[in-house]
């Protein structure tokens, strides 16, 4: 479930011979060229010669939703372990080397992928590939390193989740939304399972998922396709593919027959709110129109903190909310969620805020999309797409994320025009399908005093 409050503020690889430049897929708009090495590794090159720098990213098609039952958090745990030593690199030497070259690096884990990236001077690209290739297949994990990083993860969960009532609510809502599908487990993992992860678990996960035929390398910046391909073949090419990589076969979610509701009461809550997530379809290769309609629906309802429908009605019209939003990100392997959110002003109960939000949604379903508002939003979306091309690192992330969940380079390039061509009728059809309370989870976050007041009323 993509319930990340920050947004309020703001298959198996097929082995094939290495492609020639003439045979590779390319885009004149984004200067994108893609290849598949003989060992199955995918390489995507995005040329941008305005600055002598490159972003190098490697995406593994494995995330929290691919973990074995009872091993929640192993994908994120292993992301940390990847910064331990290899045959040729001492623990911590990877990041220290990047920093010594004047660059920066980091990593992140989602339900569908784990990614690592570095931004360095263009002439250091080969060194980045050399080090990433080294830790792809030759990571060394001592018992001490595993124990140390496990404690880091335990502390991270304590600080970021267990000490944050909002994070706890989102975690509980995810578990309620997905009864059978692994999107219901938290990326960081359940505490009682994190504490049991050991070296054998880490090594088994590593051997099963970290291989060239389960990886996508994206290079964006001051490099030509020929140069990037030569470096990739030198450093990644000799790595042997894994025969253990298999298509993602995840449990399907059973039909949801009734709304699920969660009330989390915590004395640490200073700003109560109502949040609701609805099951929603994802972007699919060659079939992105419904996801595009949902993307625009989120913008119409709550994408802008001052001009969206929620903002106009709930914040400035009725003055019942200090903040409101709608959010959706369909870049996932399986169906995910569309969300709405309202934080009431002092004196307005959560029941009143939820009723006001539902009234706005009901009115919208009756009256439809304002054509002028939709045109304005599409103009902003087009401008954002143009500005995004100024950030080579952002482009690398956009292409890498899409490819990691099964979309194609062509899907990424088609997406902006699909957004522009979506009609108001398609948006309303998507809204009518998604806004089904029997497929929703509604959460209340409140302090004990507010809970007592709600009970009296």
């Amino acid at each position: 479930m993509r319930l990340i409050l920050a947004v309020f503020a703001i298959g198996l690889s097929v082995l094939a011979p290495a492609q020639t430049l003439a045979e590779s897929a390319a885009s004149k708009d984004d200067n994108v060229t893609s290849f598949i090495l003989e060992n199955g590794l995918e390489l995507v090159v995005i040329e941008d010669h305005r600055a002598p720098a490159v972003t190098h990213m490697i995406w593994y098609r494995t995330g929290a939703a691919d973990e074995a039952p009872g091993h929640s958090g192993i994908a994120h745990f292993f992301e940390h372990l990847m910064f331990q030593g290899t045959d040729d690199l001492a623990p911590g030497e990877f990041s220290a080397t990047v920093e010594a070259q004047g660059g920066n690096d980091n990593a992140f884990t989602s339900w569908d992928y784990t990614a690592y990236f570095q931004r360095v001077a263009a002439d250091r690209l080969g060194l980045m590939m050399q080090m990433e290739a080294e830790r792809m297949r030759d990571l060394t994990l001592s018992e001490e390193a595993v124990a140390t990083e496990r404690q880091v993860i335990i502390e991270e969960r304590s600080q970021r989740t267990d000490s944050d009532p909002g994070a706890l609510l989102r975690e509980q809502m995810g578990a309620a939304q997905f009864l059978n599908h692994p999107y219901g487990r938290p990326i960081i993992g359940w505490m009682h399972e994190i504490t049991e992860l050991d070296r054998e678990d880490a090594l088994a996960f590593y051997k099963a998922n970290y291989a060239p035929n389960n990886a996508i390398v994206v290079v964006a910046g001051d490099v030509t396709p020929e140069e990037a391909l030569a470096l990739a073949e030198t450093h990644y090419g000799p790595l042997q593919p894994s025969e253990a990589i298999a298509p993602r076969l995840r449990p399907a979610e059973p039909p949801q027959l009734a709304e699920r509701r969660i009330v989390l009461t915590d004395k640490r809550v200073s700003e109560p709110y109502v949040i609701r997530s609805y099951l929603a379809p994802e972007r699919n290769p060659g079939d992105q129109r419904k996801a595009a309609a949902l993307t625009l629906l989120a913008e119409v309802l709550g994408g802008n903190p001052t001009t969206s429908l929620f903002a106009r009605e709930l914040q400035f019209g009725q003055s019942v909310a200090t903040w409101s939003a709608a959010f959706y990100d369909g870049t996932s392997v399986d169906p995910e969620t569309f969300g709405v959110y309202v934080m009431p002003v002092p004196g307005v109960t959560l029941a009143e805020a939820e009723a006001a939000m539902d009234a706005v949604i009901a009115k919208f379903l009756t009256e439809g999309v304002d054509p002028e508002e939709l045109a304005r939003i599409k103009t902003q979306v087009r401008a954002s797409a143009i500005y995004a091309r100024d950030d080579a690192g952002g482009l690398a992330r956009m292409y890498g994320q899409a490819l990691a969940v099964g979309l194609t380079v062509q899907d990424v390039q088609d997406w902006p025009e699909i957004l522009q061509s979506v009609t108001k009728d398609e948006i309303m059809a998507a809204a009518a399908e998604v806004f089904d309370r029997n497929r929703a989870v509604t959460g209340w976050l409140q302090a004990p005093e507010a809970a007592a007041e709600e009970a009296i009323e």
Side-chain angles (χ1 to χ4, degrees):
M1 180 174 60
R2 276 60 177 170
L3 294 177
I4 303 173
L5 286 180
V7 301
F8 298 157
I10 352 232
L12 179 65
S13 297
V14 178
L15 299 183
Q19 294 176 299
T20 66
L21 291 178
E23 295 170 330
S24 63
S27 165
K28 293 182 180 179
D29 291 338
D30 285 340
N31 294 320
V32 177
T33 310
S34 61
F35 309 91
I36 300 179
L37 303 190
E38 290 186 8
N39 59 10
L41 182 135
E42 293 186 36
L43 171 67
V44 176
V45 185
I46 307 169
E47 289 186 81
D48 184 347
H49 300 289
R50 291 173 295 177
V54 293
T55 294
H56 172 259
M57 304 191 77
I58 184 163
W59 300 71
Y60 291 95
R61 298 184 188 88
T62 185
D66 301 299
E67 297 164 341
H71 292 76
S72 67
I74 186 67
H76 175 249
F77 182 32
F78 199 81
E79 174 206 315
H80 282 242
L81 292 175
M82 278 286 277
F83 291 89
Q84 296 301 313
T86 70
D87 292 343
D88 298 323
L89 296 170
E93 186 177 354
F94 188 105
S95 293
T97 301
V98 175
E99 184 178 359
Q101 306 304 313
N104 58 76
D105 74 315
N106 214 324
F108 50 89
T109 305
S110 182
W111 282 272
D112 296 314
Y113 48 76
T114 308
Y116 305 82
F117 67 91
Q118 308 87 40
R119 181 168 174 78
V120 294
D123 61 358
R124 300 296 189 269
L125 176 59
L127 177 60
M128 299 302 105
M129 288 192 180
Q130 176 186 335
M131 293 196 299
E132 280 290 14
E134 171 73 12
R135 67 177 179 176
M136 181 187 288
R137 301 301 274 168
D138 291 324
L139 197 67
T140 56
L141 295 177
S142 67
E143 291 283 2
E144 181 182 2
V146 171
T148 299
E149 288 302 325
R150 182 175 57 237
Q151 188 59 39
V152 170
I153 300 300
I154 290 171
E155 293 175 1
E156 182 179 342
R157 178 179 169 95
S158 296
Q159 294 174 4
R160 297 186 179 182
T161 303
D162 296 333
S163 64
D164 181 354
L168 289 173
L169 175 63
R170 297 192 298 276
E171 184 177 82
Q172 292 295 305
M173 288 181 66
Q177 185 84 74
F178 297 100
L179 299 182
N180 196 45
H181 191 282
Y183 283 165
R185 69 172 64 116
I187 293 172
I188 198 168
W190 301 111
M191 181 65 87
H192 69 284
E193 293 182 348
I194 295 173
T195 57
E196 298 299 317
L197 296 176
D198 57 25
R199 182 173 180 270
E200 288 67 32
D201 295 326
L203 288 174
F205 185 82
Y206 179 50
K207 293 176 182 178
N209 296 287
Y210 280 68
N213 53 325
N214 202 37
I216 304 156
V217 171
V218 183
V219 178
D222 189 20
V223 64
T224 66
E226 297 93 336
E227 293 168 339
L229 177 59
L231 290 171
E233 288 181 326
T234 296
H235 299 294
Y236 292 115
L239 302 180
Q240 292 300 307
S242 170
E243 296 182 358
I245 305 300
R248 286 168 158 171
L249 300 176
R250 296 170 173 172
E253 188 67 16
Q256 183 175 337
L257 305 179
E259 181 183 7
R260 299 160 190 164
R261 299 184 67 88
I262 293 177
V263 177
L264 180 65
T265 301
D266 193 300
K267 63 182 180 181
R268 297 169 294 182
V269 175
S270 59
E271 296 179 316
Y273 59 78
V274 179
I275 185 170
R276 183 184 299 142
S277 60
Y278 300 84
L279 288 174
E282 76 283 14
R283 290 169 63 183
N284 289 304
D287 181 17
Q288 302 183 88
R289 295 197 68 84
K290 186 175 290 186
L294 289 171
T295 299
L296 292 176
L297 174 64
E299 289 296 320
V300 169
L301 290 179
N304 188 292
T306 57
T307 62
S308 66
L309 181 59
F310 277 178
R312 297 197 310 270
E313 292 284 341
L314 300 174
Q315 295 168 222
F316 306 116
Q318 303 176 39
S319 298
V320 298
T322 59
W323 190 262
S324 60
F327 48 95
Y328 168 78
D329 178 7
T331 312
S332 59
V333 172
D334 297 313
E336 49 153 67
T337 58
F338 182 102
V340 291
Y341 163 93
V342 174
M343 180 181 289
V345 299
V348 173
T349 67
L350 293 182
E352 292 169 339
E354 182 180 352
M357 179 183 73
D358 286 334
V360 173
I361 293 174
K363 181 180 178 182
F364 171 77
L365 291 174
T366 300
E367 297 182 354
V369 181
D370 182 293
E372 292 184 1
E373 177 69 6
L374 180 58
R376 183 186 63 80
I377 289 173
K378 285 187 176 182
T379 299
Q380 291 179 337
V381 168
R382 184 181 292 277
S384 296
I386 293 172
Y387 295 145
R389 289 187 169 86
D390 286 336
D391 181 4
L395 283 176
R397 183 161 183 158
M398 179 176 66
Y399 277 93
Q401 180 187 22
L403 293 170
V405 301
L407 297 170
T408 67
V409 169
Q410 191 62 55
D411 290 323
V412 176
Q413 294 166 352
D414 290 344
W415 181 245
E417 289 308 315
I418 292 175
L419 286 170
Q420 293 300 315
S421 66
V422 167
T423 67
K424 62 177 184 178
D425 289 341
E426 288 178 293
I427 293 173
M428 295 311 300
E433 178 182 336
V434 165
F435 286 133
D436 180 353
R437 292 285 287 273
N438 287 333
R439 290 163 50 85
V441 176
T442 301
W444 284 15
L445 182 67
Q446 59 188 10
E449 309 81 58
E453 292 176 4
E454 295 274 4
I456 293 174
E457 294 180 2

